[in-house]
Amino acid sequence: METHRMITFVREGVRFTHRVAGIAIDDGRVLLHQFEGEDFWALPGGRAELLEPATETLRREMREELAIDVEVIRLLWVVENFFEYEGVHVHELGLYFLMQVPDGWPQRTSQAAFEGYEGHIALTFQWFTLDALEQLRVYPSFLPQALRELPSEARHVVHRDS
């Protein structure tokens, strides 16, 4: 992975990043991940690379993190997400796609957490029921409600987390 190709830059103390996230919903559960040392959950995905279509970004990230090939179904949200992370203001442009994990993937039916990797950083993955999301710290924070009512066509979301 060549990090200099990732679409991320800093200007005037604000980090801009282009992120692509995947929404896998199976049997009333959604797949989330958590970086080692973090206290919140997010949708799996990662930063887009220059000249890389967003759907390929998602496929690449799932191959890197979970060693699986996902089927990208359709775009659900284009999200302008504004937040602060580790003392830095972040302006994130995110494309959120509905995706399907392989039928034969052993972790598809897992009831427990399992590991994946982002380079050398350990990730914890876990399936959560849509009802359980209200009790979790999930970012962006619009997701627990939005995942219960997936839009029939792509929607634009402007979101701020404090």
Side-chain angles (χ1 to χ4, degrees):
M1 175 173 59
E2 298 179 52
T3 56
H4 67 279
R5 295 185 53 86
M6 298 292 173
I7 304 175
T8 298
F9 59 87
V10 177
R11 295 280 189 281
E12 299 175 14
V14 176
R15 179 184 304 134
F16 175 85
T17 188
H18 175 31
R19 184 170 192 270
V20 180
I23 299 161
I25 296 182
D26 191 67
D27 196 25
R29 303 179 311 157
V30 64
L31 182 63
L32 299 179
H33 77 196
Q34 184 178 61
F35 278 90
E36 185 176 33
E38 296 290 359
D39 64 350
F40 64 90
W41 295 88
L43 292 168
R47 290 178 291 165
E49 292 184 358
L50 293 170
L51 301 175
E52 179 181 55
T55 54
E56 184 51 38
T57 297
L58 183 54
R59 288 185 194 101
R60 174 181 53 78
E61 287 290 336
M62 295 302 92
R63 282 190 302 270
E64 289 173 0
E65 294 175 7
L66 292 171
I68 60 172
D69 289 315
V70 298
E71 179 185 352
V72 179
I73 309 295
R74 64 184 175 92
L75 180 65
L76 294 176
W77 295 293
V78 175
V79 180
E80 293 180 80
N81 192 16
F82 301 92
F83 58 96
E84 190 173 311
Y85 182 72
E86 296 181 339
V88 176
H89 291 286
V90 180
H91 177 167
E92 178 182 84
L93 178 61
L95 300 178
Y96 289 62
F97 288 91
L98 185 61
M99 68 178 180
Q100 185 171 343
V101 298
D103 286 336
W105 183 43
Q107 302 297 356
R108 185 175 182 162
T109 57
S110 176
Q111 300 296 318
F114 53 95
E115 274 193 349
Y117 291 92
E118 175 66 38
H120 64 283
I121 300 169
L123 296 170
T124 299
F125 285 84
Q126 190 167 343
W127 292 95
F128 291 96
T129 65
L130 296 174
D131 290 338
L133 296 182
E134 298 295 335
Q135 271 67 95
L136 293 176
R137 194 165 168 212
V138 178
Y139 287 116
S141 62
F142 78 92
L143 285 171
Q145 181 60 38
L147 289 169
R148 293 167 148 299
E149 303 168 14
L150 298 181
S152 58
E153 56 189 38
R155 292 205 179 135
H156 174 226
V157 175
V158 177
H159 183 77
R160 293 183 188 275
D161 273 312
S162 54

